[in-house]
Amino acid sequence: MKRLLIISPYFAPVNAADMQRVRMSLPYFADNGWEAEVVMVDEKYTEIAKDELLLQTIPGHIKIHTVKAFDKRFTGKFGLGSIALRALWFYRQKVNQLLTTAKYDLIYFSTTQFPVCVLGSYWKHRFGIPYVIDMQDPWHSTYYQDKPESLRPKKYWFSYRLNKYLEPVAMKQVDGLISVSESYITDLKSRYPRISRVPAATITFGAFEKDMEIAIANQHLFTPILQSGYLNIVYVGRGGADMHQSITTIFDAVKHGLINNPSLYTLVKIYFIGTSYAPTGEGKATILPLAMQYGLEEHVVEITDRISFFHTLITLKQSDGLFMPGSDDPKYTASKIYPYLATQKPLLAIFHPLSPAINVLKEYGAKYCYTFENIQRDDIDRFISDLSAGKENIQHYQPGAIEKYSAQQMTKKQCLLFDKALNGKN
């Protein structure tokens, strides 16, 4: 059995999107010849909401190591709030100890807290251990370079320059790449010719059946968000100006429907939940101001605070229908696809025509899946009308796709990449 050391700064019970791949893969690594351990930052050093139910999905035999981080109350005075930067020194010390006292075959960075990945090159040089990086998002990106300052993330000036410096350090000696989008890998191999022959695989997040079982069994723990008596359409995920192109499409249709078919559209209420990564109570609305421009403030609810993972699943399950807006960035793919599909609810998805999410949704047989270019107002009218009619089986997902994109199959693909990375040590 080969030994895998996983670096995931955020991990259960912390409710962070970038730890979900690891969490859903842990039950299946051993079946594919890998014994996995996780090194996380102690939960007390993060402000992200916790979801204790996540711990029910972690196999009892998995070793979880914790590291400290510098207190954000201190580092924040210097503008350093990133968990990766605050924990970098402690990760170095802890993993040095682990690699000195035990044998591991591979280190796997699966996180969007990318600065910690620079340690891969250091550990490879010191201990001769190869490493793989999971690119769940772009690391160094020029996406915001031509955007107005008002649309750029906080501290963009600093993060852009930091990422531009750190990414080549991590990529210098990397032995394998995993990504949710083929374009991320293409960009990296173009930017760093040395890794052009490094094993790489595009592997999406998977669907984990046990999650919905846990959510349903514990639904009594969650305060309902949706208002009865309405046609509730739900989106749970981040907001941002890059999603306005897809969101304005549905807002335009609802505004038009209120004029031409008020008996139906007065019942429509669209929820955008967990749209900000900011601490609870500090998030800035990015969707409601847009809704107000369309005069839809009575039909749109934006909750910037994030809710727990299982609260999300139950809220999706309690909806009449789901909405998944895509980014105007063609490289964007939504990791939330699989929890959405697991609910078996009708889903309206609007993505950039080049988004890799389109192909996945088509394989699933998603009935209401469109691009910015091909969606018409009539398509949204039909979706709303079908929801209102309560038609049975208006959406039926393909069993073959459900199996193909299961967490079990996605873990198998990861392990095949790990094996290639070991065989191609450099």
Side-chain angles (χ1 to χ4, degrees), residues 260-272:
N260 295 279
N261 191 359
S263 62
L264 171 61
Y265 277 86
T266 51
L267 299 176
V268 171
K269 195 172 286 286
I270 309 174
Y271 294 79
F272 295 85

Side-chain angles (χ1 to χ4, degrees), residues 231-256:
L231 196 63
N232 291 313
I233 301 171
V234 175
Y235 165 73
V236 182
R238 73 164 181 88
D242 63 310
M243 292 187 170
H244 281 190
Q245 186 171 353
S246 56
I247 293 171
T248 54
T249 306
I250 193 171
F251 283 180
D252 174 72
V254 173
K255 180 179 179 180
H256 185 267

Side-chain angles (χ1 to χ4, degrees), residues 27 50 85 122 125 150 164 172 186 209 239 309 319 339:
K50 316 299 189 299
L85 296 177
Y122 163 74
H125 176 76
S150 61
K164 185 177 181 179
K172 183 179 180 180
T186 301
E209 283 189 16
F309 180 74
S319 73

Side-chain angles (χ1 to χ4, degrees), residues 26 42 49 71 133 136 142 147 159 164 169 245 286-287 313 316 326 336 341 350 355 362 376 382 425:
L26 286 176
D42 192 306
D71 194 320
I133 297 178
Q136 297 181 25
T142 59
K147 302 294 187 296
S159 62
K164 185 177 181 179
V169 175
Q245 186 171 353
T286 56
I287 309 302
L313 290 183
L316 296 175
K336 66 183 74 67
L341 296 172
I350 308 174
S355 172
K362 286 182 176 178
Q376 302 294 323
R382 186 165 51 253
K425 286 182 181 179

Side-chain angles (χ1 to χ4, degrees), residues 70 217 227 312 372:
F70 289 113
Q227 299 180 48
T312 293
F372 299 154

Side-chain angles (χ1 to χ4, degrees), residues 114-345:
F114 290 119
V116 74
C117 297
V118 299
L119 291 171
S121 181
Y122 163 74
W123 287 323
K124 183 175 182 179
H125 176 76
R126 179 169 176 178
F127 297 98
I129 183 168
Y131 63 99
V132 169
I133 297 178
D134 176 14
M135 301 298 296
Q136 297 181 25
D137 282 329
W139 185 349
H140 171 53
S141 171
T142 59
Y143 174 78
Y144 287 102
Q145 283 295 91
D146 61 353
K147 302 294 187 296
E149 188 172 340
S150 61
L151 297 181
R152 293 177 177 179
K154 287 181 64 177
K155 303 177 184 176
Y156 174 74
W157 185 93
F158 173 76
S159 62
Y160 175 82
R161 285 156 180 78
L162 181 69
N163 294 340
K164 185 177 181 179
Y165 171 75
L166 293 183
E167 184 184 81
V169 175
M171 294 299 158
K172 183 179 180 180
Q173 296 294 327
V174 71
D175 296 273
L177 293 170
I178 289 173
S179 175
V180 297
S181 174
E182 179 67 29
S183 61
Y184 297 169
I185 294 174
T186 301
D187 287 350
L188 286 171
K189 290 195 171 185
S190 174
R191 196 177 296 156
Y192 309 108
R194 189 214 71 85
I195 66 171
S196 61
R197 296 186 180 181
V198 165
T202 302
I203 306 174
T204 64
F205 280 31
F208 193 43
E209 283 189 16
K210 188 174 181 180
D211 284 343
M212 188 57 72
E213 296 172 5
I214 293 173
I216 292 173
N218 292 277
Q219 59 184 307
H220 61 282
L221 300 176
F222 308 116
T223 302
I225 294 174
L226 311 183
Q227 299 180 48
S228 60
Y230 290 90
L231 196 63
N232 291 313
I233 301 171
V234 175
Y235 165 73
V236 182
R238 73 164 181 88
D242 63 310
M243 292 187 170
H244 281 190
Q245 186 171 353
S246 56
I247 293 171
T248 54
T249 306
I250 193 171
F251 283 180
D252 174 72
V254 173
K255 180 179 179 180
H256 185 267
L258 286 168
I259 297 171
N260 295 279
N261 191 359
S263 62
L264 171 61
Y265 277 86
T266 51
L267 299 176
V268 171
K269 195 172 286 286
I270 309 174
Y271 294 79
F272 295 85
I273 303 170
T275 55
S276 174
Y277 291 122
T280 300
E282 298 180 18
K284 180 181 178 181
T286 56
I287 309 302
L288 189 57
L290 181 65
M292 294 174 69
Q293 294 178 27
Y294 283 82
L296 298 178
E297 51 267 40
E298 297 298 319
H299 297 271
V300 174
V301 177
E302 180 175 10
I303 301 172
T304 59
D305 293 344
R306 300 185 69 187
I307 59 175
S308 73
F309 180 74
F310 292 101
H311 196 180
T312 293
L313 290 183
I314 282 299
T315 303
L316 296 175
K317 191 72 173 176
Q318 292 170 341
S319 73
D320 295 292
L322 307 176
F323 176 48
M324 187 181 297
S327 171
D328 59 17
D329 183 351
K331 300 173 184 178
Y332 174 80
T333 186
S335 60
K336 66 183 74 67
I337 284 179
Y338 303 100
Y340 271 62
L341 296 172
T343 67
Q344 298 290 310
K345 291 285 185 175

